[in-house]
Short mmCIF file of all heavy atoms in Angstrom, two decimals:
data_model
loop_
_atom_site.label_atom_id
_atom_site.label_comp_id
_atom_site.label_asym_id
_atom_site.label_seq_id
_atom_site.Cartn_x
_atom_site.Cartn_y
_atom_site.Cartn_z
N GLY A 71 31.64 1.28 46.27
CA GLY A 71 32.58 1.73 47.32
C GLY A 71 32.37 1.16 48.66
O GLY A 71 33.26 0.73 49.34
N PHE A 72 30.99 1.01 49.01
CA PHE A 72 30.67 0.41 50.25
C PHE A 72 31.04 -1.05 50.28
O PHE A 72 31.53 -1.61 51.35
CB PHE A 72 29.10 0.55 50.52
CG PHE A 72 28.67 0.03 51.79
CD1 PHE A 72 29.09 0.54 53.00
CD2 PHE A 72 27.80 -1.07 51.86
CE1 PHE A 72 28.60 0.03 54.17
CE2 PHE A 72 27.38 -1.60 53.00
CZ PHE A 72 27.77 -1.05 54.24
N VAL A 73 30.74 -1.73 49.21
CA VAL A 73 31.12 -3.18 49.11
C VAL A 73 32.66 -3.42 49.29
O VAL A 73 33.04 -4.28 49.94
CB VAL A 73 30.64 -3.76 47.78
CG1 VAL A 73 31.16 -5.23 47.58
CG2 VAL A 73 29.10 -3.78 47.75
N ARG A 74 33.38 -2.51 48.67
CA ARG A 74 34.88 -2.60 48.78
C ARG A 74 35.28 -2.46 50.29
O ARG A 74 36.22 -3.12 50.73
CB ARG A 74 35.56 -1.58 47.99
CG ARG A 74 35.35 -1.75 46.45
CD ARG A 74 36.22 -0.82 45.62
NE ARG A 74 35.99 -0.94 44.28
CZ ARG A 74 35.25 -0.09 43.55
NH1 ARG A 74 34.64 0.89 44.12
NH2 ARG A 74 35.14 -0.21 42.23
N GLN A 75 34.62 -1.50 50.92
CA GLN A 75 34.94 -1.29 52.39
C GLN A 75 34.63 -2.51 53.18
O GLN A 75 35.38 -2.90 54.10
CB GLN A 75 34.23 -0.08 52.84
CG GLN A 75 34.70 1.25 52.27
CD GLN A 75 36.16 1.47 52.46
OE1 GLN A 75 36.68 1.40 53.56
NE2 GLN A 75 36.85 1.67 51.38
N LEU A 76 33.45 -3.17 52.90
CA LEU A 76 33.10 -4.36 53.66
C LEU A 76 34.10 -5.49 53.40
O LEU A 76 34.49 -6.21 54.31
CB LEU A 76 31.76 -4.87 53.18
CG LEU A 76 30.55 -3.99 53.55
CD1 LEU A 76 29.27 -4.50 53.05
CD2 LEU A 76 30.43 -3.86 55.10
N ILE A 77 34.60 -5.67 52.14
CA ILE A 77 35.64 -6.65 51.80
C ILE A 77 36.88 -6.36 52.62
O ILE A 77 37.55 -7.24 53.28
CB ILE A 77 35.90 -6.75 50.27
CG1 ILE A 77 34.66 -7.19 49.61
CG2 ILE A 77 37.01 -7.70 50.13
CD1 ILE A 77 34.73 -7.12 48.16
N LYS A 78 37.30 -5.11 52.73
CA LYS A 78 38.49 -4.66 53.51
C LYS A 78 38.32 -4.95 54.94
O LYS A 78 39.27 -5.38 55.61
CB LYS A 78 38.78 -3.20 53.13
CG LYS A 78 39.39 -2.89 51.81
CD LYS A 78 39.83 -1.44 51.69
CE LYS A 78 40.53 -1.20 50.42
NZ LYS A 78 41.12 0.17 50.33
N ILE A 79 37.10 -4.71 55.42
CA ILE A 79 36.90 -4.91 56.86
C ILE A 79 37.02 -6.38 57.20
O ILE A 79 37.67 -6.74 58.25
CB ILE A 79 35.41 -4.45 57.23
CG1 ILE A 79 35.34 -2.88 57.17
CG2 ILE A 79 35.03 -4.88 58.60
CD1 ILE A 79 33.93 -2.33 57.29
N GLN A 80 36.48 -7.25 56.34
CA GLN A 80 36.66 -8.75 56.54
C GLN A 80 38.08 -9.07 56.45
O GLN A 80 38.59 -9.86 57.36
CB GLN A 80 35.79 -9.44 55.47
CG GLN A 80 35.91 -10.96 55.58
CD GLN A 80 35.38 -11.42 56.88
OE1 GLN A 80 34.43 -10.96 57.42
NE2 GLN A 80 35.92 -12.59 57.41
N LYS A 81 38.79 -8.56 55.55
CA LYS A 81 40.25 -8.94 55.34
C LYS A 81 41.05 -8.40 56.52
O LYS A 81 41.92 -9.04 57.02
CB LYS A 81 40.76 -8.29 54.08
CG LYS A 81 42.17 -8.76 53.71
CD LYS A 81 42.57 -8.21 52.29
CE LYS A 81 43.95 -8.70 51.93
NZ LYS A 81 44.27 -8.15 50.56
N ARG A 82 40.68 -7.22 57.07
CA ARG A 82 41.34 -6.61 58.19
C ARG A 82 41.10 -7.45 59.44
O ARG A 82 41.96 -7.65 60.24
CB ARG A 82 40.85 -5.19 58.37
CG ARG A 82 41.54 -4.48 59.54
CD ARG A 82 41.03 -2.98 59.52
NE ARG A 82 39.60 -2.85 59.92
CZ ARG A 82 38.97 -1.73 60.02
NH1 ARG A 82 39.59 -0.58 59.70
NH2 ARG A 82 37.68 -1.71 60.37
N PRO A 100 37.88 1.27 56.75
CA PRO A 100 39.28 1.21 56.43
C PRO A 100 39.83 2.47 55.71
O PRO A 100 40.92 2.93 55.97
CB PRO A 100 39.46 0.00 55.49
CG PRO A 100 38.39 -0.92 55.90
CD PRO A 100 37.19 -0.05 56.25
N ILE A 152 31.59 2.73 60.37
CA ILE A 152 31.11 1.56 59.65
C ILE A 152 29.56 1.53 59.67
O ILE A 152 28.90 1.31 58.68
CB ILE A 152 31.65 0.17 60.26
CG1 ILE A 152 33.20 0.15 60.07
CG2 ILE A 152 31.05 -0.99 59.55
CD1 ILE A 152 33.79 -1.02 60.71
#
Side-chain angles (χ1 to χ4, degrees):
F72 180 68
V73 171
R74 292 189 185 99
Q75 292 303 308
L76 290 179
I77 297 174
K78 285 187 174 185
I79 291 171
Q80 179 63 32
K81 190 174 181 179
R82 183 176 67 182
I152 296 175

